[in-house]
Amino acid sequence: MERRPFGHAGRDAPVIGQGTWHIDGGGRRAAVQALRRGLDLGMTHVDTAEMYGDAEEIVGEAIDGRRDEVFLVSKVLPENASRRGTVLACERSLERLRTDRLDCYLLHWRGRYPLEDTFDAFERLRRDGKILSWGVSNFDVSDLDEASKAGGAGRIACNQVLYHLEERAIEHAVLPWCEAHEVAVVGYAPFGHGSFPGPDTPGGRLLRRIADAQGATPRQVALRFLVRRPPLFTIPKASRPAHAEENAGAGGLRLSHAEIASIDEAFPLGPPPRELPTL
Ligand SMILES: NC(=O)c1ccc[n+]([C@@H]2O[C@H](COP(=O)([O-])OP(=O)(O)OC[C@H]3O[C@@H](n4cnc5c(N)ncnc54)[C@H](OP(=O)(O)O)[C@@H]3O)[C@@H](O)[C@H]2O)c1
């Protein structure tokens, strides 16, 4: 599993991690097994959020006894992101996750509280050792500019954003901004939240051809494409161990320039959107 520096967090993380939204779709037992299998195979970046129902508790069970292996990320909901609310939300997440610290804590999306208030709370949590770094999610370039003024240079570890083959809007401005400011870009919903290009579509056929040539699967090829630039990470969600195994297999894959160019052509970038797309 390839690892790389995670923005300003001062730590490495695997390029392929694990999402947990609706992780219990196949039952809690399978979810815990899937997460543990993912950890065994190096997908130690685990992404969760207070919003994801009982996902934090499931993650807590899955990482029990192996906390030090994990790069653990959770998120505060915008409606809780006041100075005091952020601290309390983090403490509740830590309890559900059965741990004393998060590796990174994110503002899930922008809400009504001033960024300064949320970031002050993040800094307080950092000083207290309850989080080791912090970042944002669903932030467009104008939000990132404001955030970097409010939080101070070099403070934002990552921006977690929607990114899959058929939704590449971040490549217009968000990805270049993050590259220039050494902010990790964590792409969420890499399989389009369950709408992966079908085998009978031109894009699906191309992925299959590249996969066959590489001894890989179309999903592994897609994941590898999504982490082809240095600040990129991806966090597919798998509720079943077999899916986790397949996803982890992308962590050692290498695509040629020609393969990357053909995927680029089959899933075109499209024009810049007026607003950053989100799920
Ligand atoms: N920051 C944000 O606002 C935000 C928003 C959305 C998501 N996220 C994060 O990003 C993570 C990933 O996004 P997502 O869960 O929306 O969607 P996703 O990862 O694009 O897709 C998940 C779907 O793909 C399936 N899948 C996974 N691996 C597979 C494989 N190898 N073969 C076949 N199917 C496979 C899953 O099935 P099974 O579950 O049955 O294995 C599930 O149906 C989330 O879980 C969450 O942690 C963040």
Side-chain angles (χ1 to χ4, degrees), residues 18-23 47-48 52 75 108-109 137-138 160-161 187-194 219 235-240 242-244 246-247 279:
Q18 306 193 72
T20 63
W21 191 23
H22 301 303
I23 185 84
D47 177 78
T48 189
Y52 300 164
K75 314 185 196 79
H108 210 144
W109 63 88
S137 177
N138 297 301
Q160 189 180 117
V161 285
Y188 70 71
F191 298 142
H193 192 60
R219 276 189 166 76
I235 45 168
K237 184 273 287 185
S239 326
R240 309 151 204 237
H243 285 171
E246 179 177 351
N247 300 343
L279 259 193

Side-chain angles (χ1 to χ4, degrees), residues 11 130 171 274:
R11 295 265 307 276
K130 291 177 180 168
E171 292 182 35
R274 247 180 263 145

